[in-house]
Amino acid sequence: MALIVQKYGGTSVGSAERIKNVARRVARWKGKGHDVVVVVSAMSGETNRLIALAKEVQGTPDPRELDVALSTGEQVTIALLSMALIDLGVRARSYTGGQVKIMTDSAFTKARIVSIDEARIRADLAHGHVVVVAGFQGVDEAGNITTLGRGGSDTTGVALAAALKADECQIYTDVDGVYTTDPRIVPEARRLSTITFEEMLEMASLGSKVLQIRSVEFAGKYRVKLRVLSSFEEEGEGTLITFEEDDKMEQAIISGIAFNRDEAKITILGVPDRPGIAYQILGPVGDANIDVDMIVQNVGHDGLTDFSFTVHRNDYQKTLDTLKPVIAHIKARGIHGGDKIAKVSAVGVGMRSHAGIASTMFRALAEEGINIEMISTSEIKVSVVIDEKYMELAVRVLHKVFGLDQPAA
Ligand code: ASP
Ligand code: MG
């Protein structure tokens, strides 16, 4: 008998019929004698609907009140799923994040989990209940409702699995695992039977939407056994997220191609090339709570240099506004930017032991006439920023050049 945490995403609980389906799956696991804790998202489209509604009322919704509104999506699902379970004769109980208690900090709309009191869940499990918990939400010290950022139910699932020392955390979604890239762009993409945490973390942070990045960090840190599976298939092993030392299988050099259109690029021209300048530019950006991703500073000449970096597209205007006084203060020549860019990355732990990955990538892009605007590398990834309109082409070309295309049947 095992303790299993199952998380079901919005599509998996997108209708009454699908909720009943999930209930049947949960009942099967319970019927095999396992203890089951279920975390659910809001029904698909619901969070977007609530955000749009909030924006109709207040252009930039008050963050505290937005979280009160958004948390209702998951609250509906936990009740409906519990009803469906009870209808099947399974004892079930639902809890909101605040009821559990899932304690978070007070950063509304992107709160972090600080601690989880799992006593109530354990007591219910001991009484033979299936416990159904609302994903994506918690409560701060002052009792305010908070939410964990888009996709946050994954993090709730993994955090609960960590707190309960669960045997496995199963993330049920509308795809049957983690793919080498998005099959909607590359039909030849393949499901990976395993992927390492490090790779998954890179993939998530580079734009792969399968798992929320924070959930992967959590799982790595607390060594939660994490598996991504389809809620629409009866069988299937999905993709197991492994620790590299456990992964004895022959590793491909590149595991996947990730991409993302969520960024914008900002360049400051003619920056005085002197100590402290990066801090003078990025300090205020950080203070404004804007995350910076790639940073490139050119070699200076004549005492001047150019300084470029990327931020989330949503923060583009805010970054420009934040930097306006800074530009004047440091007497830079100007600032420009654009949000029609895309980042494409090749990820794989095999890079550590293989040279030439970056040059293979650059050659493949050059052959397609795709201009690279920025480059960044780590031990296990190479990322490039390119014009958004070539993104799909770049992804297809790289998927092929690194041998990821599905072998013809
Ligand atoms: N309902 C939230 C969202 O759409 C959280 C989640 O689904 O994980 O982002
Ligand atoms: Mg999700």
Side-chain angles (χ1 to χ4, degrees):
M1 191 184 97
L3 171 49
I4 310 284
V5 174
Q6 300 187 330
K7 181 259 164 179
Y8 291 91
T11 325
S12 307
V13 293
S15 65
E17 206 39 58
R18 286 182 177 180
I19 288 173
K20 290 184 193 177
N21 254 325
V22 166
R24 281 190 283 271
R25 185 184 297 264
V26 172
R28 273 203 305 279
W29 280 85
K30 178 74 186 145
K32 288 183 204 158
H34 301 302
D35 281 338
V36 188
V37 175
V38 187
V39 174
V40 284
S41 292
M43 294 169 75
S44 61
E46 180 62 7
T47 307
N48 287 340
R49 189 185 72 84
L50 292 167
I51 291 172
L53 193 56
K55 284 183 175 165
E56 262 180 58
V57 175
Q58 189 185 16
T60 307
D62 178 85
R64 181 188 184 277
E65 303 313 324
L66 184 59
D67 277 359
V68 174
L70 294 190
S71 65
T72 63
E74 273 72 9
Q75 188 169 339
V76 169
T77 324
I78 54 172
L80 296 179
L81 178 58
S82 299
M83 290 173 202
L85 283 163
I86 292 165
D87 203 46
L88 292 175
V90 177
R91 280 189 286 173
R93 270 197 174 165
S94 68
Y95 294 106
T96 64
Q99 285 175 310
V100 167
K101 287 185 160 180
I102 297 176
M103 300 293 300
T104 72
D105 61 20
S106 305
F108 296 114
T109 76
K110 50 181 171 192
R112 281 180 178 271
I113 296 177
V114 177
S115 65
I116 294 180
D117 179 0
E118 83 289 1
R120 196 164 183 180
I121 297 180
R122 281 207 191 280
D124 279 349
L125 290 175
H127 283 100
H129 285 96
V130 166
V131 181
V132 182
V133 179
F136 176 58
Q137 55 180 263
V139 66
D140 74 1
E141 254 184 354
N144 297 304
I145 293 172
T146 56
T147 67
L148 309 180
R150 299 308 305 270
S153 299
D154 292 342
T155 298
T156 305
V158 174
L160 271 174
L164 292 163
K165 299 188 174 57
D167 295 283
E168 187 163 305
C169 181
Q170 303 172 340
I171 306 281
Y172 286 93
T173 177
D174 51 355
V175 291
D176 63 350
V178 179
Y179 274 68
T180 48
T181 195
D182 188 335
R184 282 169 300 191
I185 292 190
V186 184
E188 292 83 7
R190 286 180 288 120
R191 179 177 61 84
L192 297 159
S193 57
T194 65
I195 184 170
T196 70
F197 268 98
E198 278 177 293
E199 289 169 326
M200 195 62 225
L201 203 53
E202 289 283 13
M203 296 283 274
S205 68
L206 294 170
S208 156
K209 298 270 185 327
V210 181
L211 287 174
Q212 198 205 30
I213 173 162
R214 218 174 266 173
S215 72
V216 185
E217 286 169 358
F218 233 102
K221 185 163 167 201
Y222 295 99
R223 297 190 79 87
V224 173
K225 191 172 168 198
L226 191 58
R227 192 185 289 279
V228 177
L229 306 141
S230 164
S231 63
F232 298 115
E233 287 174 13
E234 288 301 315
E235 305 286 327
E237 295 289 293
T239 300
L240 181 66
I241 326 285
T242 61
F243 293 93
E244 204 174 331
E245 61 269 24
D246 301 336
D247 198 346
K248 298 277 189 293
M249 304 228 306
E250 178 67 18
Q251 277 289 338
I253 298 170
I254 299 298
S255 292
I257 308 296
F259 56 85
N260 126 30
R261 278 182 252 244
D262 294 343
E263 291 189 31
K265 185 175 91 163
I266 287 162
T267 299
I268 303 169
L269 299 161
V271 175
D273 192 11
R274 59 161 191 260
I277 208 73
Y279 175 67
Q280 275 185 293
I281 294 169
L282 295 181
V285 174
D287 292 343
N289 244 322
I290 298 166
D291 288 331
V292 171
D293 181 26
M294 275 194 210
I295 304 171
V296 174
Q297 189 189 324
N298 286 340
V299 178
H301 55 92
D302 303 332
L304 294 178
T305 184
D306 296 338
F307 191 95
S308 298
F309 59 95
T310 62
V311 296
H312 194 282
R313 237 175 236 195
N314 293 345
D315 289 329
Y316 179 54
Q317 196 51 48
K318 189 172 163 199
T319 310
L320 291 176
D321 296 344
T322 304
L323 285 175
K324 221 171 259 160
V326 177
I327 301 305
H329 179 72
I330 63 175
K331 300 197 169 57
R333 202 187 307 136
I335 180 165
H336 68 74
D339 59 359
K340 299 275 175 289
I341 57 160
K343 184 168 70 171
V344 177
S345 316
V347 177
V349 291
M351 261 184 228
R352 288 205 182 102
S353 48
H354 284 81
I357 299 300
S359 61
T360 301
M361 183 163 171
F362 303 155
R363 176 165 29 89
L365 295 173
E367 280 169 7
E368 296 295 335
I370 300 172
N371 186 42
I372 299 171
E373 298 180 24
M374 287 168 103
I375 299 170
S376 100
T377 64
S378 78
E379 243 191 303
I380 66 164
K381 72 126 201 278
V382 182
S383 299
V384 295
V385 165
I386 59 173
D387 188 325
E388 180 185 64
K389 63 175 182 268
Y390 300 121
M391 191 195 81
E392 298 195 4
L393 174 62
V395 172
R396 276 197 300 274
V397 163
L398 296 177
H399 196 268
K400 191 178 183 83
V401 81
F402 287 118
L404 297 173
D405 282 5
Q406 183 119 253

